[in-house]
């Protein structure tokens, strides 16, 4: 098992998002909307920081990519829980559309676990743009009130990003990280490799 010294500074920013999640949930339970929103903003900022540091310091790794993806997913879930609690009427009004948008994501996760045994960490440009739009919409809604234009843009980009992820899963025999998108995947030699037992762990 890896010891603490094996983790780099970018990994610790990802860890922050994971460790902060229970405290964010506590703030939701205590109905501290403003404090929750500001700390959620900090978590979103660490997402931008860890990726920048990993590239700048050339400390990218598959472990770091998985950690970053897990931190992103748990932060998104916490943000959505906060949005549901603090803007319940908006969520209930748009529940069908949210369900339609969320279903492909669940399918994508299911396919990834069947094929790779773990979640994807492609980190495509479209995924990064989608994450930015999600954070903007959630934060704007919590600081002010839900804005339908941002909501529809977020849904549309999220669907495009999910469909691209599904396409990439079928393009890559082995789990791969840091794939910019389908255009770059077509030129990526990693997708032509055959599965090996060690790579599926």
């Amino acid at each position: 098992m890896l010891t603490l010294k094996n983790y780099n500074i970018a990994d610790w920013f990802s860890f922050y998002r994971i460790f902060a999640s229970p405290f964010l949930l506590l703030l939701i339970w205590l109905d501290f909307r403003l404090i929750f929103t500001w700390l959620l903003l900090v978590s979103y900022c660490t997402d931008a920081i860890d990726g920048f540091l990993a590239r700048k310091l050339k400390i990218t790794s598959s472990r770091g990519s998985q950690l970053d993806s897990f931190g992103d997913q748990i932060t998104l879930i916490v943000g959505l829980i906060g949005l549901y609690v603090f803007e319940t009427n908006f969520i209930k009004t748009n529940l069908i559309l949210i369900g339609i948008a969320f279903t492909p994501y669940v399918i994508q996760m299911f396919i990834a676990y069947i094929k790779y045994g773990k979640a994807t960490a492609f980190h495509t440009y479209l995924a990064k743009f989608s994450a930015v739009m999600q954070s903007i919409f959630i934060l704007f809604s919590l600081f002010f009130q839900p804005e339908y234009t941002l909501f529809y843009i977020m849904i549309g980009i999220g669907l495009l990003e999910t469909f691209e992820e599904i396409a990439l899963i079928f393009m890559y025999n082995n789990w791969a990280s840091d794939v910019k998108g389908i255009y770059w995947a077509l030129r990526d030699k990693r997708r032509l490799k055959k599965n090996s037992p060690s790579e599926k762990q």
Side-chain angles (χ1 to χ4, degrees), residues 173-174 189-197 199-200:
N173 290 325
N174 300 320
K189 295 179 181 179
R190 292 179 297 173
R191 71 185 185 87
L192 302 176
K193 293 180 181 180
K194 294 183 178 180
N195 288 325
S196 66
E199 289 179 303
K200 295 197 73 174

Side-chain angles (χ1 to χ4, degrees), residues 161-199:
E161 183 269 328
T162 302
F163 292 141
E164 182 180 54
E165 292 257 341
I166 292 174
L168 289 172
I169 291 172
F170 285 106
M171 292 176 69
Y172 282 83
N173 290 325
N174 300 320
W175 185 92
S177 62
D178 300 322
V179 180
K180 296 177 181 179
I182 292 176
Y183 173 81
W184 293 271
L186 293 172
R187 293 160 174 75
D188 189 352
K189 295 179 181 179
R190 292 179 297 173
R191 71 185 185 87
L192 302 176
K193 293 180 181 180
K194 294 183 178 180
N195 288 325
S196 66
S198 60
E199 289 179 303

